[in-house]
Amino acid sequence: MMCAESSDSAHDLGATALPPDTVGLLAGMVTTRAIRRYRAEPIAPDALRAILFAATRAPSGSNRQPFRFLVLTDGPKARAAKKLIGDGARRAWGAKRETDRYNTGSGAVEDSPKARMARTMQQFVDEFERVPVLILPCLVRYREPTPSEGASVYPACQNLLLAARALGYGGAFTGWNAVVDTELRELLGIPANTSIAGTITLGKPAGRHGPVRRRPMSELVYEERWGESPDWAVDPPGTAFTSAGPPQRSDL
């Protein structure tokens, strides 16, 4: 049962337009970084409402809208879920750090991209329980799992992250929920026919957004034939690039 104050707040939001967007659409798309460090402040209900409204406007197969968002802020179950996923994240990151040799090679050079990433990730998992908002995007299955079913939930996740960027917040998408899937379902009452599609953390950035680094367009965009880039696939002036990408295999 909702208290009078909560009911009044919901009524007020229902009569209030969405807040103004502080970032243009194209600018938001090319500057929405994964934000893993947050200020110790909550996200106001009106901002959460706008961010989740944008998420629920995303497309889905046959417009069935099978996505659901479980939002966890500071209640007892939220704190328990953050601790649960945080413990799993620390185990998963510890294994990845060892397997991917983040402490050797360029990772041992203090200011290298690999070393900076390792420090950021370590801080992220060490402080996971302090994230202001934790969101579990879910997919309610209405048929047997298919390779393309993510198309009915992941566009909504991108809408969510872009909306957060537009309102001065930031987030990061991970799959650490998978490490503690059974425990999360039991804690939060998530049905068996529902897939937990990821873990999204949200908050006010302790750092900042900025241009994302990707590979050049000419390596990613083809025309007419595989591997042949069109003349117009040219990056704007000042674009910064990364060499990151899938492992290269000579037999592929």
Side-chain angles (χ1 to χ4, degrees):
M1 180 175 178
M2 296 178 65
C3 66
E5 182 180 351
S6 177
S7 178
D8 290 344
S9 175
H11 175 75
D12 291 344
L13 283 178
T16 304
L18 296 178
D21 184 343
T22 61
V23 183
L25 180 59
L26 283 177
M29 287 180 174
V30 300
T31 61
T32 299
R33 290 177 174 171
I35 299 295
R36 301 182 179 91
R37 295 184 298 119
Y38 308 103
R39 298 181 192 174
E41 57 185 82
I43 300 180
D46 61 334
L48 266 181
R49 172 250 199 163
I51 292 168
L52 270 299
F53 178 78
T56 61
R57 302 305 95 181
S60 59
S62 301
N63 198 30
R64 289 179 181 268
Q65 302 159 70
F67 43 72
R68 301 291 186 272
F69 294 93
L70 188 45
V71 182
L72 302 160
T73 53
D74 59 359
K77 287 190 182 296
R79 291 192 293 272
K82 290 177 184 180
K83 177 67 165 60
L84 194 59
I85 297 179
D87 287 341
R90 287 183 281 273
R91 293 195 302 272
W93 165 245
K96 180 176 175 62
R97 186 166 188 159
E98 182 70 23
T99 301
D100 292 355
R101 300 179 180 178
Y102 271 89
N103 298 325
T104 61
S106 63
V109 180
E110 184 175 356
D111 199 40
S112 69
K114 191 172 184 179
R116 291 198 300 271
M117 171 59 76
R119 286 195 298 272
T120 298
M121 288 297 295
Q122 192 63 57
Q123 182 178 354
F124 185 34
V125 299
D126 285 346
E127 301 179 355
F128 195 88
E129 286 83 348
R130 299 193 188 106
V131 299
V133 177
L134 176 67
I135 299 177
L136 299 179
C138 298
L139 174 70
V140 181
R141 289 193 171 110
Y142 53 89
R143 61 185 176 190
E144 291 299 309
T146 68
S148 62
E149 67 178 4
S152 286
V153 62
Y154 293 126
C157 297
Q158 182 69 355
N159 268 21
L160 189 156
L161 292 168
L162 289 171
R165 167 75 175 102
L167 297 178
Y169 296 95
F173 186 103
T174 75
W176 284 326
N177 53 283
V179 182
V180 290
D181 184 84
T182 301
E183 298 93 329
L184 271 180
R185 290 177 182 280
E186 182 176 350
L187 173 67
L188 303 171
I190 299 173
N193 71 324
T194 298
S195 168
I196 307 175
T199 298
I200 300 175
T201 53
L202 281 184
K204 183 72 72 170
R208 60 182 177 82
H209 282 286
V212 298
R213 293 175 181 266
R214 300 291 186 263
R215 300 182 76 90
M217 279 184 66
S218 59
E219 295 181 13
L220 306 175
V221 179
Y222 306 146
E223 184 179 43
E224 296 288 341
R225 181 180 175 83
W226 183 267
E228 296 182 1
S229 180
D231 293 339
W232 50 260
V234 180
D235 301 279
T239 300
F241 304 111
T242 177
S243 59
Q248 301 297 309
R249 288 178 51 189
S250 59
D251 59 339
L252 290 182

